[in-house]
Amino acid sequence: MKDILERIENVRTEMINIGLNEGFRSDKTLKLSEKLDDLIIQYQKLNIREKQIS
């Protein structure tokens, strides 16, 4: 769980930096946004599974 949270934070930081440098509508920024969405969905699924097990 800690690993995915670190990955989320790293992608978020990278997305913001690229957005500030290349624009928030640049292809790189949008691809990172999609990657961030995927990671957040993975995290939510893991979180739900953990709650069901507990």
Side-chain angles (χ1 to χ4, degrees):
M1 196 77 127
K2 182 180 175 185
D3 177 56
I4 195 162
L5 287 173
E6 288 177 14
R7 289 171 53 201
I8 287 170
E9 191 56 38
N10 290 339
V11 171
R12 179 183 290 130
T13 300
E14 184 180 5
M15 181 187 71
I16 291 168
N17 288 334
I18 289 176
L20 290 170
N21 290 320
E22 297 185 21
F24 288 101
R25 293 185 181 200
S26 76
D27 286 340
K28 287 182 187 178
T29 305
L30 296 176
K31 285 183 195 277
L32 286 169
S33 176
E34 290 173 2
K35 184 175 180 179
L36 181 60
D37 289 344
D38 290 341
L39 287 170
I40 290 170
I41 290 167
Q42 287 178 30
Y43 172 77
Q44 289 174 332
K45 287 179 181 179
L46 284 172
N47 202 18
I48 289 170
R49 261 189 247 144
E50 279 192 7
K51 287 182 181 180
Q52 289 174 343
I53 293 172
S54 299

